Amino acid sequence: MNSNNTRKASKDNTQDNLQILKQLFPSAFTADGELDVNILKQLVGTDDEANQGVAEKFGLTWAGKSKVFGTVRQTTNKTLKPNRQNSVDFDKTKHLFIEGDNLDALKILERSYFNKVKMIYIDPPYNTGNDFVYNDDFKTSQAEHEQVAGTHDELGQTKRSDGLTKNSKDKGRYHSNWLNMMYPRLHIARNLLKDDGVIFVSIDDNEVHHLRMIMDEIFGEENFVAEMIWEKKYTTSNNIKGISNTHEYILCFCKSIDSIDKSIGRLSYTDKALSRFKNPDNDPRGPWSDASYHGPKSPTERKNLNYPLTHPKTGVEIWPKEKSWAYEKSNYEKHVAENRLYWGKNNSYKEPRVKIFLSEIQGGVIPRSLLSYKDSGSTSEGRADLRNIFGLNEDGALFDNPKPVKLLSKLLSIGASNENNDIILDFYAGSGTTAHAVMQLNAEDGGNRKYICVQLPEVTDEKSEAFKAGYKTIADIARERIRRAGKKIMADNADKLKNRKTPLDIGFKDFAVAPSNFVELPIDATDQTQLLLVNNLKSGVKDEDLLTQMRLLQGKTLDVEPTQATFGDLTVYEQDETCFVIQPNANLADLKQLLKAKYSKIVLLDRVFKDSKDMTNFDQEYQALDSQKIIEIC
């Protein structure tokens, strides 16, 4: 019977990482594929001090970087506390909304969602000097910065009334603070991605170059997919100096380039694209479009693609001129035999075009790196989305520059399937666009994607429209948006939703990052049995809070609710063949029934036992059965 539960909610991967270094620690390998032992030691926490001042490998370095590996490794005692009052359809929904610092949230979720998330999208602070606020200790001290960076300016941070930190652009540690904040979050986020997972990160010119370098380091340069350009607006700002900026970037990396076909999906054909497929010659294979028969190279460059074609009407031989043919002669002969060449109506074309049949195209359209506002939305459309949901006039604004639902829907169509109940994570949820887009896309294509959204409870300005409307934090805005968006989606898609196999999920379970429900006990006690029987619970803790933390400690996901079962007077909770027992002072006879039940693991609070005698008796019964069950006591 295992009594060595650390009560740490976050997952400690050190030993696993040592066994699969290349998979979990790509940043410990050089561009040539060589293992950098010094970086590895920092990552696994074996020799931090000895590596201070050691020459770094090629890559980005900044003041405080050596400490981010310690931040990654550091476990947390915090947990998630459910809030049914803020939730919608708590017991049935599979969506999660978490209020709290996202570094804590990621560490708490890591054990339960390790290698389970299909797609991550984040829209982090762009580090413009105005919008970067966070409450973790990402910043370096003035002395540290002066020592590492060699500066002696008047440095410091601007503290806000809510205890968060504003990263002012005129401070010497401006970029370092941002990188120290982003690195550990991205590092842990990678652990949550499935092997065929993909991450999209929105960013602008301020940090795109730095972001690309740290993502190369964390995800592996070989797993870079694209630096997408989103046309965020279509008007020119004439009141600025230089060049009017009308775009942002979205960096895309996959967990493993070997799974790129599963990581990156294809987009559905638009009505405009489908209109190009016709069947003017009544081909039995159905509608087709046509493409040029020329390739990109000249006949001199590709001599094997330089051969004559025979015009079907005139019999004249046609040779390529500026560009060679796109296919070898054997393929041309096959195209002729299969009637895949189109010479125009009544064979009026001088050169052929090749038929592309709609029935033979698999999966849809390959995504492009350029995202036009016409099919991906704009910032003004994002503001309109939010105004429409909250019923505001054209001047109303609850949140600065929310991303449009259309943009997120496009990314979701690329990165998350409508067939596999994919999990989408957004740990910079903002106004809740990702949650909105997930529900909207599920309504449109019949999918059952599930979101996990995390948002810091950043306070709104007392003079803002949001504060006056009763939304004290950004998290409040996001929750209300999700509630309203869900109702609107149901109303707008009422006819289509009648044919769904399962009801559309428009609810969410609300959680808050919270201190552990357990009191830290002394670790030098000699009598472990007596130690376990010490009251290790904080006063006023609710059973549901305890059960949630116990589930997280055991790596159980929160998208489903555990079921109840009874053994005599004892009520237990079941999830994935694990039994959770929290009822205090249970009858020993009822507890012994659990040992013969179907569970592969039984997790009990120490308060379940009336005294040490019952605990010993229970353990003896367990040993006598010679069972393969795992018993753990919290």
Side-chain angles (χ1 to χ4, degrees):
M1 190 163 64
N2 182 5
S3 62
N4 295 320
N5 195 322
T6 64
R7 302 192 180 100
K8 299 280 189 181
S10 54
K11 180 179 175 66
D12 184 354
N13 294 313
T14 301
Q15 295 304 316
D16 292 340
N17 293 344
L18 288 172
Q19 298 173 15
I20 47 176
L21 296 178
K22 181 63 176 176
Q23 178 184 355
L24 290 180
F25 292 127
S27 55
F29 290 79
T30 68
D32 298 326
E34 297 294 326
L35 175 63
D36 188 318
V37 177
N38 292 322
I39 291 295
L40 176 62
K41 287 181 177 180
Q42 292 185 48
L43 286 169
V44 299
T46 58
D47 196 11
D48 281 340
E49 293 184 2
N51 282 286
Q52 297 298 322
V54 175
E56 301 280 357
K57 67 176 182 179
F58 172 80
L60 179 65
T61 187
W62 63 89
K65 182 179 181 180
S66 61
K67 291 189 174 182
V68 299
F69 302 110
T71 303
V72 170
R73 296 192 310 269
Q74 187 177 16
T75 57
T76 180
N77 286 322
K78 292 183 180 179
T79 185
L80 298 181
K81 183 176 182 178
N83 187 328
R84 288 179 174 267
Q85 185 175 355
N86 280 343
S87 305
V88 176
D89 201 12
F90 188 98
D91 290 324
K92 294 182 180 179
T93 183
K94 296 184 181 300
H95 303 310
L96 309 182
F97 184 90
I98 301 170
E99 178 180 310
D101 181 81
N102 54 18
L103 182 59
D104 288 329
L106 288 169
K107 289 187 175 186
I108 294 168
L109 293 172
E110 188 175 8
R111 190 188 299 270
S112 298
Y113 290 89
F114 183 83
N115 209 38
K116 291 180 181 177
V117 174
K118 179 61 173 66
M119 171 181 156
I120 296 174
Y121 170 76
I122 56 172
D123 185 17
Y126 284 1
N127 206 19
T128 63
N130 297 314
D131 62 354
F132 173 21
V133 292
Y134 249 81
N135 65 356
D136 59 342
D137 189 19
F138 59 80
K139 51 193 178 297
T140 57
S141 71
Q142 179 175 344
E144 289 171 332
H145 181 77
E146 290 176 351
Q147 180 180 4
V148 177
T151 62
H152 300 278
D153 299 334
E154 181 62 24
L155 304 173
Q157 302 299 314
T158 304
K159 299 299 289 186
R160 292 155 49 99
S161 60
D162 57 6
L164 303 180
T165 301
K166 177 179 177 181
N167 194 44
S168 300
K169 199 166 186 175
D170 59 349
K171 304 302 181 184
R173 293 161 293 179
Y174 169 65
H175 291 295
S176 295
N177 290 338
W178 189 85
L179 290 165
N180 287 333
M181 185 271 292
M182 288 296 298
Y183 197 104
R185 289 166 170 81
L186 288 171
H187 200 289
I188 298 171
R190 182 187 178 278
N191 292 340
L192 302 183
L193 279 180
K194 296 173 63 177
D195 291 339
D196 61 353
V198 61
I199 181 171
F200 299 93
V201 184
S202 284
I203 199 67
D204 71 355
D205 289 315
N206 284 285
E207 297 289 357
V208 63
H209 46 307
H210 294 147
L211 178 63
R212 173 70 183 272
M213 292 191 75
I214 63 172
M215 292 190 73
D216 280 343
E217 186 172 313
I218 294 168
F219 290 87
E221 189 174 356
E222 70 278 10
N223 295 316
F224 170 75
V225 177
E227 185 171 298
M228 306 170 81
I229 296 176
W230 171 50
E231 189 179 15
K232 66 178 181 179
K233 64 179 183 178
Y234 46 87
T235 58
T236 300
S237 300
N238 292 317
N239 59 344
I240 67 167
K241 297 179 180 179
I243 296 175
S244 178
N245 188 310
T246 60
H247 73 279
E248 289 181 4
Y249 305 95
I250 301 176
L251 294 188
C252 177
F253 281 74
C254 59
K255 180 75 169 285
S256 171
I257 201 67
D258 294 334
S259 301
I260 187 67
D261 290 339
K262 295 180 179 180
S263 300
I264 305 296
R266 297 197 174 194
L267 299 171
S268 300
Y269 285 101
T270 62
D271 292 339
K272 182 178 181 180
L274 289 173
S275 68
R276 298 191 183 102
F277 290 86
K278 302 182 184 302
N279 197 358
D281 59 350
N282 296 315
D283 194 302
R285 288 163 289 192
W288 50 269
S289 183
D290 58 84
S292 172
Y293 214 66
H294 286 286
K297 302 293 185 179
S298 70
T300 304
E301 293 175 294
R302 295 298 303 271
K303 294 182 178 180
N304 63 318
L305 301 179
N306 183 23
Y307 54 86
L309 308 183
T310 302
H311 196 288
K313 184 176 181 179
T314 65
V316 173
E317 286 189 344
I318 302 168
W319 289 79
K321 296 180 180 179
E322 295 180 0
K323 299 293 184 181
S324 65
W325 303 127
Y327 307 92
E328 294 183 353
K329 189 172 183 179
S330 59
N331 285 333
Y332 159 69
E333 293 170 347
K334 185 178 180 181
H335 290 161
V336 172
E338 295 179 352
N339 187 30
R340 287 182 179 268
L341 297 186
Y342 182 61
W343 291 86
K345 187 177 182 180
N346 299 322
N347 293 321
S348 59
Y349 291 176
K350 294 181 179 179
E351 295 180 346
R353 294 178 69 81
V354 64
K355 291 180 178 180
I356 301 173
F357 291 94
L358 181 60
S359 60
E360 296 177 348
I361 298 176
Q362 300 295 321
V365 181
I366 294 176
R368 301 175 62 202
S369 60
L370 180 61
L371 302 174
S372 166
Y373 76 89
K374 293 180 179 180
D375 56 16
S376 301
S378 62
T379 52
S380 61
E381 190 170 327
R383 289 190 290 269
D385 289 340
L386 202 57
R387 286 198 303 268
N388 292 337
I389 288 293
F390 283 90
L392 303 176
N393 58 39
E394 291 187 2
D395 297 325
L398 296 178
F399 188 85
D400 293 334
N401 300 318
K403 290 294 185 287
V405 172
K406 192 180 292 185
L407 174 64
L408 267 297
S409 293
K410 173 69 71 65
L411 297 179
L412 288 166
S413 297
I414 296 171
S417 168
N418 66 340
E419 300 175 352
N420 301 323
N421 299 324
D422 285 339
I423 298 174
I424 293 90
L425 171 65
D426 181 351
F427 51 91
Y428 286 98
S431 68
T433 303
T434 297
H436 186 164
V438 167
M439 295 186 294
Q440 180 69 48
L441 192 58
N442 283 345
E444 292 173 358
D445 66 10
N448 289 290
R449 303 169 187 84
K450 299 175 285 187
Y451 66 75
I452 302 174
C453 287
V454 184
Q455 176 54 41
L456 188 75
E458 179 185 346
V459 298
T460 54
D461 192 298
E462 293 184 3
K463 298 179 181 179
S464 68
E465 189 168 349
F467 187 89
K468 293 175 182 177
Y471 307 115
K472 308 302 183 186
T473 68
I474 301 299
D476 290 338
I477 296 174
R479 276 189 291 260
E480 183 60 20
R481 178 189 187 161
I482 297 171
R483 297 185 191 104
R484 291 176 179 240
K487 292 178 181 178
K488 188 175 188 303
I489 290 168
M490 291 292 290
D492 292 347
N493 298 272
D495 292 338
K496 182 183 293 186
L497 295 176
K498 292 178 181 178
N499 300 320
R500 276 184 63 94
K501 295 180 180 179
T502 57
L504 179 67
D505 187 354
I506 60 169
F508 65 91
K509 303 176 191 290
D510 185 70
F511 295 91
V513 174
S516 173
N517 296 297
F518 296 98
V519 176
E520 284 296 306
L521 300 177
I523 60 175
D524 57 349
T526 55
D527 189 338
Q528 289 295 312
T529 300
Q530 291 298 325
L531 179 61
L532 284 169
L533 287 170
V534 174
N535 182 13
N536 63 350
L537 299 179
K538 295 178 179 178
S539 61
V541 173
K542 298 179 180 178
D543 285 356
E544 186 172 33
D545 297 346
L546 287 170
L547 181 58
T548 299
Q549 184 165 1
M550 292 170 69
R551 290 166 63 200
L552 289 167
L553 288 169
Q554 294 299 321
K556 305 301 179 184
T557 61
L558 300 179
D559 56 334
V560 296
E561 288 301 294
T563 57
Q564 292 187 18
T566 56
F567 294 84
D569 294 327
L570 178 64
T571 298
V572 301
Y573 300 87
E574 305 171 342
Q575 184 175 355
D576 302 331
E577 297 185 357
T578 297
C579 171
F580 295 94
V581 190
I582 62 176
Q583 182 177 317
N585 300 320
N587 291 324
L588 183 59
D590 296 338
L591 289 171
K592 287 183 177 180
Q593 290 186 59
L594 299 178
L595 297 175
K596 299 179 181 180
K598 61 183 178 180
Y599 310 115
S600 59
K601 178 182 272 191
I602 302 172
V603 183
L604 311 95
L605 284 177
D606 51 9
R607 71 175 186 180
V608 167
F609 300 98
K610 295 179 180 178
D611 51 38
S612 59
K613 181 179 179 181
D614 274 5
M615 179 182 287
T616 301
N617 199 321
F618 180 80
D619 187 31
Q620 290 174 345
E621 181 84 5
Y622 167 66
Q623 300 295 341
L625 289 172
D626 193 24
S627 172
Q628 297 299 310
K629 291 182 188 295
I630 299 174
I631 311 293
E632 287 194 9
I633 300 178
C634 292

